[in-house]
Amino acid sequence: MTLIPAAGSGCSGPPTPPSRVDAERPANSEVEWDGFDPWAYVQHNYSVLREDDREILCRIRDFFGGASVSGAHCVDVGSGANLYPALSLLPFARSMELCEWSTANVGWLRTQIESYDACWDAYWQVCAEHPAYATLADPRHRLARVGRVSQLSVFDLPRHAWGAGTMFFVACSISGDRTESEHAIGRFLGALRPSSPFAAAFMLGSHGYRVGQHWFPAVALQRAEVLTSIAAGAYDVDLHEVRPTPSLRDGYLGMLLVTGRSRG
Ligand SMILES: C[S@@+](CC[C@H](N)C(=O)[O-])C[C@H]1O[C@@H](n2cnc3c(N)ncnc32)[C@H](O)[C@@H]1O
């Protein structure tokens, strides 16, 4: 495992890192997020639509398609180099904010929302199997029109700002510190107005992951821990576990999809 040194990171937090840094469990501010390679990440994770992502996408499509939401200010938190959470919100979005901290990922997102790459068409086709999505003829153009990319940390999200939201593989995968993971879930749910529908996905039991040449930390979350953090800020919560074969990312047990409504 190679951890990227904190020095020079574009991350928030104290200008001088804490003197005692646990190299195996770095805090979010100790990781060089600008070293995240979005192209390598897409190539490894999303260039071909996998069955596990198809299953997740079908579930969030059906969830948002039945959530009676329209003309909403939507948010995807920690978008990184994945557009399918944003696509799942698109028909219901008056505006779509993609919040991301890494400068490299912010740059990738800005080019993608102008006109996204062909590999995302397969994801949209899955969405378009649902009538609420099928009526949207030109999702590429719609995302360009309503999408906006903000370099904003999950820890700095404003409260009660959005009416629907997604956060995929973020709380589990931005820090080695368990309390930061809980905090990220709380900030995400608190950023939604009361009763807003949301979907969030988590790696379970992850010990970190490689993107290109760089290794990034994770918290080895268990299902019960995620549920406890979510239940503090949500109701009508539904959990669904996906155990992919073969496994995709390094050292993890499976993926957990959570849908529900924010308490506010
Ligand atoms: C494992 S990736 C998940 C990316 C994407 N959401 C997906 O579904 O594949 C974690 C993402 O969180 C971003 N990130 C790291 N620290 C963050 C922070 N404090 N606030 C928001 N995003 C952050 C990383 O740059 C990266 O894009």
Side-chain angles (χ1 to χ4, degrees):
M1 175 192 286
T2 309
L3 285 172
I4 306 164
S9 133
C11 299
S12 65
T16 310
S19 53
R20 197 173 61 79
V21 173
D22 183 341
E24 291 298 315
R25 297 194 188 83
N28 181 256
S29 61
E30 295 166 342
V31 178
E32 191 185 331
W33 292 104
D34 294 351
F36 198 107
D37 179 344
W39 302 102
Y41 188 76
V42 171
Q43 183 59 35
H44 184 56
N45 294 289
Y46 300 119
S47 56
V48 174
L49 172 57
R50 293 167 50 96
E51 279 312 306
D52 44 21
D53 284 315
R54 180 191 296 276
E55 182 181 345
I56 291 173
L57 184 54
C58 285
R59 285 180 176 272
I60 58 175
R61 170 199 75 188
D62 293 348
F63 171 70
F64 286 123
S68 305
V69 57
S70 69
H73 294 293
C74 298
V75 67
D76 178 49
V77 176
S79 307
N82 180 10
L83 290 188
Y84 86 69
L87 292 179
S88 76
L89 289 168
L90 200 52
F92 321 108
R94 176 194 314 197
S95 68
M96 168 82 66
E97 190 144 4
L98 295 97
C99 300
E100 167 57 47
W101 189 236
S102 152
T103 303
N105 287 342
V106 165
W108 182 90
L109 287 163
R110 289 200 169 127
T111 61
Q112 291 295 310
I113 63 162
E114 275 176 25
S115 178
Y116 59 73
D117 289 343
C119 75
W120 301 104
D121 290 337
Y123 296 81
W124 179 258
Q125 279 160 20
V126 173
C127 291
E129 290 165 7
H130 189 291
Y133 294 77
T135 52
L136 178 50
D138 190 348
R140 193 173 264 102
H141 181 250
R142 174 71 73 92
L143 184 61
R145 196 160 59 78
V146 301
R148 190 173 77 134
V149 181
S150 301
Q151 189 158 26
L152 180 61
S153 169
V154 62
F155 302 117
D156 296 329
L157 292 174
R159 276 187 66 72
H160 296 174
W162 291 284
T166 47
M167 184 171 77
F168 270 48
F169 309 120
V170 173
C172 49
S173 307
I174 58 170
S175 169
D177 178 345
R178 203 163 287 272
T179 49
E180 283 197 318
S181 162
E182 282 168 33
H183 189 197
I185 293 172
R187 290 303 296 229
F188 167 62
L189 294 174
L192 302 175
R193 285 197 281 273
S195 302
S196 300
F198 70 86
F202 303 85
M203 290 291 171
L204 294 179
S206 173
H207 293 286
Y209 58 103
R210 180 173 291 283
V211 181
Q213 299 304 306
H214 292 157
W215 185 268
F216 293 94
V219 173
L221 292 176
Q222 306 300 316
R223 178 188 171 108
E225 287 172 280
V226 175
L227 179 56
T228 302
S229 299
I230 292 277
Y235 64 95
D236 283 354
V237 173
D238 185 63
L239 274 67
H240 178 76
E241 222 167 302
V242 180
R243 288 191 181 269
T245 320
S247 73
L248 171 61
R249 299 162 180 105
D250 304 304
Y252 73 104
L253 299 175
M255 298 188 273
L256 183 67
L257 174 66
V258 184
T259 55
R261 294 216 177 232
S262 56
R263 262 189 225 284

